[in-house]
Amino acid sequence: MKKLLALLLVILLTVVACNTSEEPEDQGAETPSETETEQPTDEDTEGDTETESDDEPSDEEDDGYTEVDYEAVVPVVTHVFDENEEMMLIHMETSADPLNQDEALMMSLQLSDQTTNEAFTGLMSVEIADKEATLNFEGGQPFVSLASAEHMMLDQMFYQLGAFYNIDTFIFTVDGEAGVDYGQVGFIEALPVEDMAVTGVVEVTNETLLEGYQAPVYRSIRDMVPLQLDSFEETLNKTATFVAPEGYKRVFEGVTIVDVKETGAQITLTVTGEIEEDTALVHALAIMATAFDFDTLTVVNESMMTRTKVTLY
């Protein structure tokens, strides 16, 4: 009997010893799950995102074109007499500062002034609303003693600038009072603008006509060909094919029109042509685009790799 009890005790101790050896050594320690181990931190995620972003091409990446921006170009008109012929010349003045439409028209009027008494030095402000431009003068009557030639040139200046700025009527005030003594016409409060035909321009090369003026300077084709063009693209085509007389040249000389794209009040013209400087071309296009009331002109020259943007009025 004692032997049997001893045998049972040995078996019991053996079973207990086996169960104890199968327990994990660090049973109380927490082992991180596989998911938690592989989950990246927020900092790692942000770093990866920034790295991938740097490798991807940006939408604004330089495409190789040189960007040229004009803050403002305003049209200026000048009457000249050549032998027995009188004509209106047009050029664009560049402003280093941005201008609103009122300021631009005021600048055009003052720079186009050919009166002997420099009448537009008394122009204090311009206000444009609903196709009407109110000109506010101070310091006395500006046009009281106009000669007949001055009167004619003043009329033509108002008509041409009115067409450029989409003005139907000029209204005058002097020292806060309505109306102006307008030369030989007498007292008027407003001057209606006559329509000017649109026919494109040619660049002036006649040194006599350019005397005293900084090139490029242009003359309207309507002085040479009596026709009215009703769209910007039609005007471009006429200007490109027009045979300029002696003393002038085509503004598209050496330049080919590739594409014309009109988007609302914006016009984009794509051209090719190796020319020394595209200022003359851009100014001529700005004159023609202004006549059709575009707000912005962009000229893309694929040969010179330039993209020129001009603000119009």
Side-chain angles (χ1 to χ4, degrees):
M1 185 68 177
K2 291 181 179 180
K3 291 181 178 181
L4 179 60
L5 291 174
L7 179 61
L8 289 174
L9 180 60
V10 172
I11 294 173
L12 179 61
L13 293 174
T14 302
V15 171
V16 172
C18 290
N19 289 338
T20 303
S21 64
E22 289 177 0
E23 291 286 342
E25 294 181 0
D26 298 323
Q27 186 174 2
E30 291 184 3
T31 303
S33 67
E34 183 178 351
T35 303
E36 293 174 345
T37 302
E38 296 179 355
Q39 182 68 30
T41 65
D42 291 341
E43 293 180 358
D44 292 336
T45 303
E46 291 177 0
D48 293 341
T49 303
E50 291 175 357
T51 303
E52 293 175 1
S53 174
D54 292 340
D55 293 338
E56 293 177 358
S58 170
D59 292 338
E60 299 179 357
E61 186 176 352
D62 183 12
D63 58 4
Y65 280 82
T66 299
E67 302 287 344
V68 182
D69 289 331
Y70 287 87
E71 287 290 352
V73 288
V74 299
V76 177
V77 300
T78 307
H79 266 83
V80 298
F81 296 87
D82 181 33
E83 297 179 352
N84 296 324
E85 185 181 19
E86 66 91 13
M87 67 193 75
M88 179 189 292
L89 302 183
I90 309 166
H91 72 279
M92 302 297 279
E93 282 287 334
T94 302
S95 170
D97 301 317
L99 303 174
N100 60 36
Q101 191 178 34
D102 295 348
E103 295 167 334
L105 176 56
M106 184 169 174
M107 182 176 175
S108 288
L109 289 167
Q110 290 176 332
L111 293 178
S112 300
D113 183 10
Q114 289 184 269
T115 58
T116 54
N117 66 335
E118 299 180 340
F120 287 89
T121 58
L123 180 62
M124 296 293 103
S125 66
V126 173
E127 302 168 32
I128 300 175
D130 299 326
K131 295 189 175 183
E132 293 183 344
T134 300
L135 310 186
N136 301 305
F137 290 88
E138 291 183 4
Q141 291 289 337
F143 310 127
V144 67
S145 57
L146 293 176
S148 57
E150 286 182 296
H151 201 143
M152 179 272 298
M153 290 188 294
L154 194 59
D155 281 347
Q156 294 299 309
M157 181 200 73
F158 278 126
Y159 298 159
Q160 182 61 80
L161 292 181
F164 282 148
Y165 286 90
N166 197 24
I167 302 298
D168 290 342
T169 306
F170 286 96
I171 300 172
F172 305 99
T173 72
V174 180
D175 295 331
E177 300 292 331
V180 64
D181 286 323
Y182 195 67
Q184 301 173 15
V185 173
F187 186 82
I188 62 172
E189 292 188 2
L191 177 69
V193 172
E194 294 184 5
D195 291 336
M196 305 289 280
V198 177
T199 58
V201 295
V202 289
E203 185 178 350
V204 178
T205 57
N206 185 327
E207 293 294 336
T208 302
L209 296 179
L210 290 174
E211 187 175 352
Y213 301 98
Q214 184 175 357
V217 176
Y218 309 89
R219 184 180 179 185
S220 174
I221 295 175
R222 69 164 170 264
D223 291 344
M224 309 167 190
V225 181
L227 80 164
Q228 167 70 37
L229 302 174
D230 298 320
S231 71
F232 182 66
E233 190 164 0
E234 187 180 4
T235 303
L236 290 176
N237 293 333
K238 180 63 181 179
T239 302
T241 58
F242 182 73
V243 179
E246 185 178 357
Y248 306 90
K249 73 175 183 178
R250 293 185 306 118
V251 297
F252 286 107
E253 195 167 301
V255 176
T256 301
I257 300 174
V258 176
D259 183 54
V260 180
K261 183 179 180 181
E262 182 178 340
T263 307
Q266 300 179 350
I267 192 76
T268 300
L269 184 72
T270 302
V271 301
T272 60
E274 296 288 348
I275 51 180
E276 292 183 3
E277 186 180 4
D278 61 1
T279 300
L281 175 63
V282 171
H283 282 195
L285 291 171
I287 291 171
M288 290 187 281
T290 296
F292 289 97
D293 301 328
F294 292 110
D295 294 337
T296 304
L297 164 71
T298 301
V299 183
V300 180
N301 190 324
E302 294 181 334
S303 298
M304 298 180 64
M305 295 296 290
T306 57
R307 184 185 292 108
T308 303
K309 184 177 180 181
V310 184
T311 301
L312 305 174
Y313 297 95

